[in-house]
Amino acid sequence: MPHFESTELFARSIGASTDIVEKEMYTFADRDGKLLTLRPEGTAGVVRAYIEHNLSTSAVLQKYFYLGPMFRHERPQAGRLRQFHQFGVESFGSASPLADVEVVSLLWRFLTDLQLPGLTLEMNSLGDQADRTAYKAVLVDFLQHRKDRLCQNCQRRMETNPLRVLDCKNPECRTATEEAPRITDSLSTNSRAHFDQVQAGLNELLIPYVLNPRLVRGLDYYTLTTFEVTSQHLGAQNAVGAGGRYDGLVETLGGPKTPAIGFAVGLERVSLMLPDSVALPVPQLVAVAAFGPQGSSFGVRVLHELRSLGVPADTDSRATSLKTHLRQADRMGASYVVMIGDDEVVKGQALVRNMTTKEQEEVPLSTVARHLADRLR
Ligand code: ATP
Ligand code: MG
């Protein structure tokens, strides 16, 4: 997907009265005066491409992932950046609760496989359009009686997007809405059944979750299932990943009626949480120490061969003596050093040093790269 799209795409899909569209988008006019926006999230672009490439005509379910930078004009702080990265998935074509279970379990597996600490999966259902219209009326009625206890922002949201009041982080708004009617009490029989089956599926997989009827999510396009994974180790910015079903979005953007569901994970927040115990395997590095007029030109060749064979290899092209090369190899943390001076070229033998044991052996220059590739395999 491109990193920017037409502004209208985001405004139409995410919704005009959301945080993203109201205040977080990086929008600019191109040379033709057309308004473009650096993508604040991935779903709108995936749906745009899905429609543009006619993917709904495929008989197989369309399942996608993306990974890349997103842009939001927010106040930068720990876990909240203006350019951050999301990994996300989108699954098109199935209205079955099994698709919800598949997508939620994928998110849960991804995060638990990384051994992230203190994770909680929160689940909610926003019902369908009709449920939501009915609920909004009940909610606004409730809010009317507490209007003066709400922040300025929420008083405005009451008119434009009352569900977002439940999302407000302001402690006073939270207290004022503690007793708010629950959306899950306004679900139709069908929506209720869908949510029950999603929960049954998660129970079947022994995936733990808590129900959070306040989880309305900041985007307009969600229907039925919404979910979020939070961690108690993240401080204020505690959401690691989130998603939901968006059965109306493809149609809203001009495609055929298509059920769909997806999630996005914030990778910077994931990396903030990675426990120290998750030691990433450090690849063994080979340093090439080539010096002297003939040695140096052979060194370039050996470096190229090693890298072509997939062996992590490096050299310091400023070094002109063996001593400097060895010092730099040490700094790079190399496991092996291939030493090639003019003498080695004459003999046709390189000297390979194991930096841990300090043992050295002679290996023919013509096969030294292959020899090391085999050894490091
Ligand atoms: P938040 O409540 O933290 O503002 P959000 O609801 O705006 O999150 P989503 O639109 O659901 O976030 O994006 C999915 C994930 O992307 C979030 O759970 C989070 O991990 C990550 N994310 C969102 N905004 C940022 C940001 N500005 N910097 C870093 N990560 C972010
Ligand atoms: Mg946000």
Side-chain angles (χ1 to χ4, degrees):
M1 290 185 295
H3 289 188
F4 56 83
E5 301 262 3
S6 78
T7 302
E8 197 204 340
L9 172 71
F10 298 114
R12 277 175 63 199
S13 57
I14 298 169
S17 57
T18 58
D19 277 356
I20 293 183
V21 174
E22 274 182 348
K23 51 181 200 227
E24 295 174 0
M25 296 203 302
Y26 278 99
T27 298
F28 55 93
D30 72 4
R31 284 168 182 275
D32 307 320
K34 186 177 153 48
L35 283 186
L36 302 175
T37 295
L38 294 178
R39 59 181 190 191
E41 55 101 56
T43 305
V46 176
V47 171
R48 195 263 312 136
Y50 177 84
I51 296 169
E52 196 169 311
H53 298 283
N54 246 330
L55 295 163
S56 62
T57 55
S58 169
V60 269
L61 285 181
Q62 299 293 298
K63 303 181 185 183
Y64 304 101
F65 80 92
Y66 57 80
L67 178 67
M70 304 293 162
F71 308 84
R72 296 185 192 179
H73 192 278
E74 306 201 72
R75 196 165 62 80
Q77 53 200 289
R80 196 179 289 294
L81 307 159
R82 290 183 167 183
Q83 175 170 342
F84 59 100
H85 294 75
Q86 283 185 344
F87 154 62
V89 312
E90 312 290 355
S91 169
F92 292 92
S94 173
S96 165
L98 296 177
D100 305 45
V101 175
E102 181 189 5
V103 167
V104 175
S105 63
L106 180 58
L107 172 63
W108 186 250
R109 226 170 25 251
F110 173 74
L111 297 173
T112 51
D113 278 357
L114 288 171
Q115 302 170 38
L116 302 186
L119 297 177
T120 304
L121 169 62
E122 300 181 10
M123 301 289 304
N124 193 24
S125 174
L126 298 181
D128 58 21
Q129 283 305 340
D131 300 344
R132 224 166 343 155
T133 310
Y135 175 69
K136 271 184 192 166
V138 180
L139 180 64
V140 169
D141 191 46
F142 170 90
L143 295 172
Q144 288 294 358
H145 295 101
R146 290 155 185 83
K147 194 164 177 183
D148 2 322
R149 293 169 60 194
L150 301 177
C151 70
Q152 288 287 310
N153 222 344
C154 281
Q155 295 195 6
R156 194 175 43 81
R157 281 178 184 147
M158 255 181 70
E159 318 290 332
T160 55
N161 196 347
L163 261 64
R164 295 292 322 282
V165 174
L166 299 176
D167 217 16
C168 186
K169 305 250 154 61
N170 188 321
E172 267 133 64
C173 295
R174 293 208 86 98
T175 328
T177 57
E178 207 131 84
E179 309 274 280
R182 299 168 162 234
I183 191 159
T184 35
D185 293 334
S186 294
L187 299 182
S188 65
T189 316
N190 281 347
S191 304
R192 176 85 255 158
H194 185 95
F195 195 33
D196 286 345
Q197 287 171 60
V198 173
Q199 291 177 55
L202 294 175
N203 294 341
E204 187 90 18
L205 299 179
L206 304 176
I207 294 177
Y209 57 87
V210 295
L211 297 178
N212 176 3
R214 302 181 72 104
L215 182 70
V216 297
R217 308 278 303 120
L219 303 89
D220 271 3
Y221 52 62
Y222 287 118
T223 51
L224 297 170
T225 314
T226 55
F227 51 95
E228 187 160 282
V229 177
T230 56
S231 166
Q232 65 206 44
H233 292 259
L234 272 179
Q237 272 62 60
N238 67 350
V240 197
R245 192 169 260 292
Y246 50 96
D247 291 346
L249 185 58
V250 178
E251 202 177 15
T252 302
L253 294 179
K257 196 167 165 36
T258 310
I261 178 166
F263 69 70
V265 176
L267 295 181
E268 284 79 6
R269 291 193 195 169
V270 167
S271 90
L272 280 176
M273 292 168 66
L274 278 177
D276 297 337
S277 58
V278 179
L280 299 174
V282 182
Q284 299 212 62
L285 181 74
V286 174
V288 176
F291 49 97
Q294 296 175 65
S296 299
S297 72
F298 239 95
V300 177
R301 215 154 100 186
V302 171
L303 183 69
H304 176 70
E305 278 174 20
L306 283 165
R307 289 178 172 170
S308 303
L309 290 166
V311 177
D314 204 358
T315 195
D316 187 328
S317 54
R318 298 167 305 182
T320 50
S321 72
L322 179 59
K323 195 168 153 239
T324 329
H325 268 300
L326 289 176
R327 195 170 57 224
Q328 294 304 78
D330 212 41
R331 287 181 174 148
M332 291 173 198
S335 310
Y336 289 91
V337 183
V338 188
M339 295 179 273
I340 310 169
D342 291 349
D343 291 352
E344 280 71 30
V345 175
V346 172
K347 279 193 288 185
Q349 300 277 336
L351 210 51
V352 174
R353 180 196 291 222
N354 178 325
M355 293 294 272
T356 321
T357 65
K358 308 292 175 209
E359 278 169 318
Q360 300 196 158
E361 57 177 330
E362 284 197 323
V363 181
L365 266 179
S366 53
T367 55
V368 69
R370 161 69 45 210
H371 172 86
L372 280 162
D374 289 344
R375 172 159 312 182
L376 293 175
R377 184 147 296 147

